[in-house]
Amino acid sequence: ELSRLLTVACEQTEVLLFDPISSKHIKTLSEAHEDCVNNIRFLDNRLFATCSDDTTIALWDLRKLNTKVCTLHGHTSWVKNIEYDTNTRLLVTSGFDGNVIIWDTNRCTEEGCPHKKFFHTRFLMRMRLTPDCSKMLISTSSGYLLILHDLDLTKSLEVGSYPILRARRTTSSSDTTATSSSGPRTVGSPCHQNDSGPLSEKHLSRPSQREGGSPRNSLEVLTPEVPGERDRGNCITSLQLHPKGWATLLRCSSNTDDQEWTCVYEFQEGAPVRPVSPRCSLRLTHCIEEANVGRGYIKELCFSPDGRMISSPHGYGIRLLGFDTQCSELVDCLPKEAGPLQEIRSLYSHNDVVLTTKFSPTHCQIASGCLSGRVSLYQPKF
């Protein structure tokens, strides 16, 4: 929570806590995990979760940081992503084992939380929930974007239990049934993968439709349009969602590692006429080519709290991007065909490649972190 506390996930097992206003270092959790810490998510004003390459998730209480509330075991490879549904108090995590796991924090003990495997796909990179938790988006290093519509986190999605709404490529049947995956390569190495798809349509049954609506957890498989040469293929390395749920933000790199793009796709709402009829929920609206410095490293970008700007790692700094030069709302800047993102400001203060950036939810403040471990705080003036 950058509003009153800035937490930093570090490669060397540490979590750092800062006061973002004074830039004062508050505390270091020196052995938060046994391997790289990848992501931090606040559940409320005092509880937060961390995930790690040690395959675990840890829950922490700001009032008692000398020890974890509990450690969650369930993934079999590096855990990269944490989401949280505040209505159901369900924690949702994803990792390079290809699994999305649901944890019931309502029933946490010192031994952990009840959990279940919710979804599996090969080459999973990132997983996000829309702000209203009506959709789950999953990106893969083989260039696919999966969307689970009308999301119900209380159901498990075993093979053959969900309908497919659209598949744009020929897919490989081995991908769905695999119990484990070599997964995407580590952060810091290229995301080169073969181009086999994440799912096989012949394994997907089509259950009966709920009255008056599309089936819960119906699956859409997309290969998002990305600028550049189509035959190179793309690895979707970063996935974020517009704070109002209007769009998704992707960072894509070509499989040949010589191009990198930031792309915005609007959600085109409306259920298909039939539960299995073709649909395409996303349309490319804006994009910009990136510097491609630090090839192979994943650069995490983000929307501003009002959704009018994007902060994007760019070489040894960050770029602030808008849908137009006045930082207008996305809905007021929807071109008939994809147009360029506009550079509003560039901020450079690092001596190494910037890998992550985040806006404060309450102040005009931005944080960025680079490969060598330095964190910078900016208060840009426009």
Side-chain angles (χ1 to χ4, degrees):
E1 290 287 313
L2 191 53
S3 55
R4 64 186 185 92
L5 189 68
L6 172 63
T7 52
V8 181
C10 299
E11 192 174 32
Q12 303 295 331
T13 78
E14 294 181 339
V15 171
L16 307 177
L17 285 75
F18 295 91
D19 179 335
I21 304 303
S22 67
S23 302
K24 181 183 177 182
H25 174 234
I26 297 172
K27 191 174 180 64
T28 296
L29 307 180
S30 58
E31 295 182 3
H33 285 274
E34 294 178 3
D35 207 334
C36 303
V37 185
N38 296 316
N39 195 222
I40 302 172
R41 171 75 59 174
F42 272 82
L43 314 190
D44 54 33
N45 289 330
R46 62 181 181 83
L47 285 175
F48 66 94
T50 58
C51 65
S52 169
D53 285 355
D54 68 7
T55 77
T56 72
I57 301 99
L59 295 183
W60 304 84
D61 190 325
L62 286 174
R63 300 169 301 182
K64 190 181 178 183
L65 288 171
N66 292 330
T67 182
K68 302 172 186 177
V69 174
C70 62
T71 300
L72 309 181
H73 298 271
H75 284 282
T76 57
S77 186
W78 302 342
V79 189
K80 294 295 185 182
N81 217 169
I82 308 172
E83 294 286 279
Y84 185 64
D85 181 350
T86 54
N87 295 320
T88 61
R89 288 178 53 85
L90 295 175
L91 197 69
V92 189
T93 61
S94 67
F96 281 2
D97 55 5
N99 292 327
V100 176
I101 295 179
I102 309 291
W103 311 82
D104 187 356
T105 63
N106 299 291
R107 295 188 287 157
C108 264
T109 68
E110 292 182 359
E111 303 302 315
C113 300
H115 68 279
K116 65 177 182 180
K117 185 190 296 186
F118 180 72
F119 190 82
H120 176 87
T121 185
R122 294 187 72 185
F123 310 130
L124 188 155
M125 286 291 288
R126 295 292 185 265
M127 172 275 305
R128 300 286 180 193
L129 302 180
T130 53
D132 62 0
C133 294
S134 66
K135 298 181 181 67
M136 177 184 289
L137 278 74
I138 296 170
S139 65
T140 75
S141 62
S142 51
Y144 287 90
L145 189 66
L146 314 181
I147 306 176
L148 286 164
H149 293 273
D150 202 6
L151 188 64
D152 183 355
L153 294 174
T154 65
K155 294 184 178 180
S156 290
L157 296 178
E158 302 299 335
V159 171
S161 70
Y162 44 88
I164 189 166
L165 296 180
R166 183 177 181 87
R168 278 191 172 179
R169 279 186 187 171
T170 305
T171 55
S172 164
S173 63
S174 64
D175 288 349
T176 302
T177 54
T179 56
S180 63
S181 167
S182 59
R185 296 175 186 267
T186 173
V187 175
S189 63
C191 299
H192 300 163
Q193 298 291 330
N194 63 40
D195 203 27
S196 59
L199 298 161
S200 168
E201 189 165 4
K202 70 182 182 181
H203 281 96
L204 303 177
S205 67
R206 294 166 178 172
S208 60
Q209 185 178 8
R210 290 181 306 139
E211 287 189 25
S214 60
R216 302 301 296 267
N217 297 327
S218 52
L219 177 69
E220 183 177 11
V221 183
L222 295 168
T223 49
E225 178 188 354
V226 177
E229 296 181 24
R230 293 178 181 271
D231 58 353
R232 296 186 184 188
N234 287 286
C235 172
I236 304 174
T237 56
S238 180
L239 165 66
Q240 301 290 341
L241 286 164
H242 190 283
K244 297 178 183 176
W246 294 343
T248 184
L249 176 64
L250 302 184
R251 188 71 166 251
C252 305
S253 61
S254 63
N255 285 341
T256 50
D257 242 2
D258 59 347
Q259 286 186 322
E260 193 172 25
W261 294 85
T262 288
C263 302
V264 178
Y265 303 82
E266 69 160 329
F267 281 107
Q268 300 185 110
E269 295 298 343
V273 178
R274 300 185 306 279
V276 294
S277 63
R279 66 186 288 170
C280 182
S281 287
L282 294 177
R283 180 178 77 92
L284 178 66
T285 63
H286 297 83
C287 57
I288 192 168
E289 189 165 6
E290 294 290 359
N292 203 26
V293 176
R295 292 185 182 185
Y297 285 96
I298 295 172
K299 291 102 177 182
E300 298 286 0
L301 63 181
C302 67
F303 279 109
S304 61
D306 62 5
R308 291 172 179 254
M309 278 199 301
I310 293 163
S311 182
S312 173
H314 189 260
Y316 287 19
I318 59 175
R319 287 195 299 188
L320 302 183
L321 307 170
F323 305 114
D324 64 11
T325 54
Q326 287 75 46
C327 296
S328 301
E329 293 271 21
L330 173 62
V331 291
D332 297 323
C333 303
L334 290 175
K336 290 186 178 180
E337 299 203 356
L341 286 165
Q342 301 297 316
E343 184 174 331
I344 309 299
R345 285 284 302 274
S346 293
L347 304 169
Y348 295 98
S349 66
H350 291 275
N351 295 317
D352 210 334
V353 180
V354 173
L355 300 182
T356 186
T357 178
K358 195 74 174 176
F359 280 91
S360 166
T362 55
H363 297 86
C364 183
Q365 193 173 35
I366 308 167
S368 61
C370 72
L371 183 59
S372 60
R374 182 181 177 188
V375 177
S376 290
L377 292 168
Y378 311 94
Q379 290 182 308
K381 296 179 181 178
F382 300 100

